[in-house]
Amino acid sequence: MSPTPRVVIIGAGIVGANLADELAARGWRNVTVLEQGPLHLAGGSSSHAPGLVFQTNPSKTMTEFASYTVGKMLSLTADGISCFNQVGGLEVATTPARFEDLKRKAGFAASWGVEARLIDPDECEKHHPLLPAGNVLGGLHIPSDGLALAARAVRLLIARAFAAGIEFRGSTTVTGIEHDGGRVTAVATDTGRVPADVVVCCAGFWGAKVGAMAGMTVPLLPLAHQYVKTSALPELAGRNELPNGARLPILRHQDADLYFREHGDRLGIGSYAHRPMPVDLAGLPDVPAADMSDDRMPSRLDFTPADFDPSWRESQRLLPALHRASITDGFNGIFSFTPDGGPLIGESPEVAGFYVAEAVWVTHSAGVAKAVAELLVEGRSQADLHDGDVRRFEDVQLAPDYISQTSQQNFVEIYDVLHPLQPRESPRNLRTSPFFGRQQELGAVFLESGGWERPHWYEANAPLLADLPQDWREPGREAWAARYHSPIAAAEAWKTRTAVAMYDMTPLKRVEVSGPGAFPLLQRLSTGQLDKRHGAVTYCLLLDAAGGVRSDITVARLAPERFQAGINNNADYEYLRGEAAAQSAADPAQWAQVMDVTPGTCCIGLWGPLAREVVAKVSGDDFSNASLKYFRTAQVRIDGLRVTAMRLSYVGELGWELYTSADQGLRLWDTLFEAGQEQGLIAAGRAAFNSLRLEKGYRLWGTDMTTEHTPEEAGVGFAVKADKGDFVGASALAAAGAPTRRLRCLTIDDGRSVVMGKEPVYLDNVLSGYVTSAAFGYTVGRPVAYAWLPADTAEGDTVEIEYFGRRVPATVAAEPLVDPGMERLRS
């Protein structure tokens, strides 16, 4: 790569133009932006987007992106007019379920630092006079929301970046991505070749087509979304000086999948209530650059009135003034959707230097551009990107049918009230462990993650509730926390703590790292001391250069040059694979192979105080504490099967993770299940598992800690062996000051309010943090939560968690709540 990287940005819409501006602001000027349409009106989604910016989101990162977009658009001015009209946002409820959801969203806003307020029907009408108070139950008002003038912003961003030395080429079609030796080298266009060290695809709904040129699957689906403008409304006459001006807050009626904004004396109405309409790029209208206009562009398809008719009737019901209006203009505009609704950000696993910033709407555009600029210039984004990491999807999730089906489902559900545990309905049964048939026989209730079917509890354990001791019984839950939950989880937790249980750990991703470079690779990337004899297991962290926790992993040394690492997700796998390739290229003698062994293996967590009695019946190997200590691994035989036994326990009880090949898995399950009946062995699911791990204080990466947090802040500083020598993030940790925040354990005082995560936490009536994980702690007999709080918060301090608009008292507790001396684990 040249000293000053040659960067090519593909697409000059709201994301590409913002990225060029962000790079220029950081001193990178060797940048060329290619746009297939004319620069003044590119013809993509940015050119027709209604520009709504609602900041409130369950994701902290997405809220931060939206808030940055608001600030940048406000500051982007010409002739005294900014590119953001801060009219505020109003989301209304017409059903009790929606109003409860607004309370939850108000909590999100508080947690992420956005001013928001629940208001009654009368105040809704005051903010939006077209909305009769009697038509709604209440609303959520966010004063800092508003309307981004996207097309105008693009023009101003291009002008500013151009003045800073960025080159823009309009009417230039990308025809190929050139790469050599696994690294991007140039972009081919219809006007010639553009050399590049870095290419960033900001092509919007053309992103999948451009990605394919680099051999990369970009999992997005272009879908049409209906938008109309009404005739003039007398009620709006004379309110706005500009033809497309607005003073009313943007209005979302999510119970009917609708939103509304002013255009001078008219209203614009957007609808997600219609059938999904996937778009074939080959069938897009061919609009010459000279003919491009606001009403004619490739992303603006013909309106289909029949699809909008129900939405028009509902709009007239909500806003009676529309009975005196008509639809004067309508179109089906193209937007990008993904399998999980998140954006696609980051570097291609296939071609180094090829990045994407796709499935990004105007709402988050400047924030995403800032994050990508930070990735390129500084090597990391200040915002945690795991929710948007393009590498987060498993291979099964990159199949065309999967992308299409799930993206369409996300379109349908975009405004639905979705529970945090709510699984997708289809496609299902894509990935199942060898135990799936037995789990079905036991009445497993499955949730889905990463394509895997994961038992949450087993109906076969329902009879255990009759024997459940009173102090293990959970009080009745309120409706929201009771969804996707069963009291059977209490019985499964009880059996794990008092007898023995089997957990299907197969879906947890694992890789094998082998070769002469395996040890130096893992030693350099992780915080743990891995220079141990084979059989050792080490819990350690993967940090970024700034000392943020990019993942936590468990590494078992199976042989001098062979390791098994339990990792969190596909992004971890690609990170390890990419670092191994770079190490091998720098020194061929230090080659290392990173192989995903998850599909060909399976794992049972056999845990509980009677686990040793069970395994002794079916194995001649020595499972005693003297022979197989905590955090050690050994090759054993169970009923003749070759098994890798790791003395680990994520639930805080004696036991092992037992790994074998997938073809032997069913036999392993049956052997252990049959052998354990005398000890009361059961199969247990994720609901009990999550409760038990929180009682033990075990962190969940991506939920409790991310790249935004250092190990000491997150309470995992013990996993950092500072004296091991250099490793990624070591210098940043050495230079870090004292933490100003820490992840703390809370127990909820009323003994029954089960929060779900992301709720704001108040200390002395001051907003001080937010909840990460939560569950009912069956062993301790009360709900447990973890939350980020000021570092000086002390054990015994009382805090309040805002839960659906009410304050729930909680107490900061010493952790772990169960087995602080580790006697049960090490027995």
Side-chain angles (χ1 to χ4, degrees):
M1 184 179 290
S2 57
T4 303
R6 299 167 297 179
V7 180
V8 175
I9 299 171
I10 300 173
I14 193 67
V15 180
N18 259 304
L19 177 57
D21 179 68
E22 294 285 339
L23 290 175
R26 289 165 174 77
W28 279 27
R29 309 295 168 82
N30 194 358
V31 179
T32 303
V33 184
L34 307 176
E35 172 53 56
Q36 66 178 348
L39 293 176
H40 72 280
L41 189 69
S45 300
S46 303
S47 301
H48 66 69
L52 279 66
V53 178
F54 270 93
Q55 297 164 86
T56 305
N57 192 291
S59 164
K60 180 175 182 287
T61 296
M62 297 302 284
T63 297
E64 290 173 349
F65 285 164
S67 296
Y68 183 81
T69 300
V70 168
K72 185 169 184 179
M73 294 295 178
L74 277 170
S75 68
L76 192 62
T77 63
D79 302 323
I81 302 174
S82 84
C83 288
F84 192 75
N85 187 355
Q86 202 159 37
V87 294
L90 176 61
E91 185 175 331
V92 295
T94 58
T95 63
R98 180 68 60 179
F99 192 66
E100 289 302 301
D101 192 54
L102 294 186
K103 295 178 183 177
R104 190 169 64 107
K105 288 184 175 180
F108 294 154
S111 291
W112 314 146
V114 175
E115 180 188 354
R117 192 165 62 90
L118 288 163
I119 59 177
D120 63 22
D122 289 335
E123 195 168 353
C124 288
E125 185 174 7
K126 289 177 183 177
H127 281 291
H128 203 296
L130 298 184
L131 178 66
N135 282 3
V136 297
L137 301 179
L140 179 66
H141 183 239
I142 303 96
S144 56
D145 286 348
L147 296 165
L149 310 180
R152 185 169 184 269
V154 168
R155 291 193 290 271
L156 293 181
L157 287 165
I158 289 174
R160 187 161 78 181
F162 180 78
I166 305 297
E167 179 183 0
F168 288 82
R169 301 185 190 179
S171 302
T172 302
T173 301
V174 171
T175 58
I177 306 296
E178 298 180 12
H179 48 92
D180 182 57
R183 172 165 286 281
V184 71
T185 57
V187 176
T189 77
D190 59 351
T191 60
R193 180 178 181 271
V194 185
D197 302 304
V198 174
V199 175
V200 187
C201 180
C202 305
F205 58 79
W206 285 282
K209 180 179 179 180
V210 176
M213 297 177 186
M216 178 184 181
T217 300
V218 178
L220 67 78
L221 181 72
L223 285 163
H225 158 62
Q226 292 197 301
Y227 192 78
V228 305
K229 291 180 182 178
T230 71
S231 59
L233 294 171
E235 293 86 348
L236 300 181
R239 286 177 53 89
N240 298 297
E241 297 177 4
L242 299 175
N244 277 311
R247 291 188 179 181
L248 293 176
I250 49 180
L251 175 66
R252 289 203 293 182
H253 175 27
Q254 293 189 306
D255 283 321
D257 299 313
L258 293 168
Y259 63 82
F260 307 84
R261 60 151 294 181
E262 278 180 288
H263 292 278
D265 59 0
R266 302 191 293 164
L267 277 188
I269 308 172
S271 172
Y272 294 101
H274 55 81
R275 60 190 168 91
M277 300 184 227
V279 175
D280 181 1
L281 299 186
L284 292 183
D286 183 15
V287 182
D291 296 338
M292 200 85 75
S293 69
D294 289 341
D295 297 326
R296 191 174 181 214
M297 61 182 77
S299 62
R300 183 176 162 128
L301 306 180
D302 291 341
F303 186 56
T304 51
D307 290 304
F308 195 78
D309 281 347
S311 294
W312 177 240
R313 291 192 295 271
E314 177 58 23
S315 298
Q316 291 175 316
R317 187 203 66 77
L318 184 75
L319 306 176
L322 293 178
H323 284 290
R324 299 183 294 277
S326 60
I327 297 172
T328 60
D329 179 37
F331 65 94
N332 292 359
I334 306 176
F335 290 96
S336 300
F337 284 77
T338 61
D340 62 3
L344 306 172
I345 304 169
E347 189 175 17
S348 164
E350 291 83 8
V351 178
F354 183 78
Y355 289 76
V356 299
E358 296 292 2
V360 180
W361 294 4
V362 172
T363 304
H364 307 107
S365 56
V368 168
K370 173 178 178 286
V372 175
E374 290 170 345
L375 277 178
L376 297 180
V377 177
E378 303 162 25
R380 73 183 294 270
S381 163
Q382 293 182 32
D384 169 60
L385 296 182
H386 84 274
D387 280 346
D389 193 324
V390 71
R391 303 167 302 172
R392 67 190 182 271
F393 297 104
E394 295 288 329
D395 183 69
V396 69
Q397 296 174 297
L398 297 177
D401 287 349
Y402 184 93
I403 295 169
S404 177
Q405 187 172 342
T406 54
S407 297
Q408 290 183 61
Q409 183 176 343
N410 279 318
F411 177 91
V412 171
E413 294 179 346
I414 191 167
Y415 279 174
D416 288 359
V417 177
L418 299 176
H419 192 276
L421 295 177
Q422 188 166 334
R424 67 174 74 255
E425 295 180 3
S426 179
R428 293 294 296 269
N429 298 338
L430 295 176
R431 306 181 81 184
T432 59
S433 77
F435 326 129
F436 184 62
R438 295 293 186 262
Q439 292 166 343
Q440 289 178 308
E441 292 170 3
L442 293 171
V445 175
F446 294 96
L447 301 187
E448 179 268 348
S449 178
W452 284 102
E453 296 297 323
R454 307 205 303 183
H456 211 52
W457 69 84
Y458 292 85
E459 290 293 333
N461 294 326
L464 295 173
L465 291 172
D467 301 322
L468 190 65
Q470 187 61 41
D471 57 354
W472 281 84
R473 296 177 184 273
E474 178 184 354
R477 295 191 176 199
E478 54 82 30
W480 185 252
R483 293 187 66 189
Y484 306 103
H485 174 76
S486 169
I488 293 172
E492 294 179 359
W494 171 58
K495 278 292 189 177
T496 307
R497 288 274 191 248
T498 61
V500 59
M502 291 167 48
Y503 290 82
D504 182 2
M505 306 300 289
T506 303
L508 300 186
K509 199 172 184 72
R510 50 202 167 272
V511 296
E512 184 176 284
V513 185
S514 59
F519 167 71
L521 175 73
L522 293 171
Q523 183 79 344
R524 173 174 59 87
L525 297 182
S526 78
T527 63
Q529 175 54 269
L530 303 180
D531 190 9
K532 302 174 182 177
R533 61 189 177 93
H534 76 269
V537 182
T538 306
Y539 172 80
C540 48
L541 310 173
L542 302 179
L543 304 181
D544 63 19
V549 182
R550 71 180 300 152
S551 190
D552 64 338
I553 65 174
T554 303
V555 181
R557 192 164 199 170
L558 304 180
E561 295 185 353
R562 186 164 65 92
F563 298 79
Q564 179 173 306
I567 61 178
N568 278 297
N569 52 37
N570 197 61
D572 286 352
Y573 168 60
E574 295 296 353
Y575 172 64
L576 293 174
R577 202 165 66 97
E579 289 291 328
Q583 177 176 292
S584 301
D587 182 358
Q590 293 292 297
W591 66 268
Q593 181 185 52
V594 180
M595 182 170 61
D596 182 1
V597 297
T598 315
T601 57
C602 59
C603 178
I604 294 173
L606 182 70
W607 293 312
L610 304 183
R612 190 173 280 125
E613 294 182 21
V614 174
V615 80
K617 295 180 178 181
V618 291
S619 177
D621 288 288
D622 187 354
F623 281 80
S624 69
N625 192 52
S627 177
L628 187 53
K629 296 183 184 300
Y630 187 54
F631 264 79
R632 296 284 299 170
T633 184
Q635 297 295 314
V636 300
R637 293 277 185 179
I638 294 179
D639 193 25
L641 303 175
R642 186 178 297 279
V643 173
T644 300
M646 293 188 192
R647 181 82 184 275
L648 308 176
S649 174
Y650 205 50
V651 299
E653 295 293 332
L654 166 69
W656 306 269
E657 292 180 358
L658 303 173
Y659 296 90
T660 192
S661 57
D663 62 324
Q664 305 275 16
L666 182 58
R667 182 176 162 192
L668 178 64
W669 175 283
D670 287 345
T671 295
L672 293 172
F673 195 83
E674 181 179 352
Q677 291 310 296
E678 183 182 357
Q679 284 71 35
L681 179 145
I682 63 165
R686 299 292 299 185
F689 181 91
N690 192 51
S691 170
L692 297 169
R693 70 99 181 166
L694 281 174
E695 292 180 328
K696 191 59 183 168
Y698 291 146
R699 277 52 171 159
L700 178 63
W701 186 85
T703 300
D704 298 317
M705 57 186 181
T706 68
T707 54
E708 295 183 354
H709 310 112
T710 67
E712 187 175 356
E713 290 174 333
V716 289
F718 65 87
V720 179
K721 305 305 177 186
D723 59 352
K724 63 175 274 190
D726 193 28
F727 57 88
V728 173
S731 58
L733 292 188
T740 59
R741 60 185 175 179
R742 291 187 186 276
L743 187 65
R744 301 305 302 265
C745 178
L746 308 177
T747 56
I748 294 176
D749 294 350
D750 69 8
R752 61 184 304 116
S753 296
V754 182
V755 302
M756 302 296 292
K758 304 184 180 181
E759 296 88 358
V761 182
Y762 294 83
L763 179 63
D764 296 329
N765 210 36
V766 175
L767 178 64
S768 301
Y770 59 90
V771 173
T772 59
S773 294
F776 192 90
Y778 299 107
T779 317
V780 298
R782 66 182 58 195
V784 178
Y786 272 76
W788 284 102
L789 289 170
D792 59 359
T793 308
E795 293 171 15
D797 283 353
T798 297
V799 299
E800 291 182 310
I801 302 170
E802 183 180 312
Y803 186 54
F804 285 92
R806 62 186 175 91
R807 299 283 182 89
V808 177
T811 301
V812 179
E815 60 168 317
L817 297 171
V818 172
D819 192 27
M822 304 285 281
E823 291 88 356
R824 299 171 73 93
L825 272 173
R826 298 181 185 275
S827 61

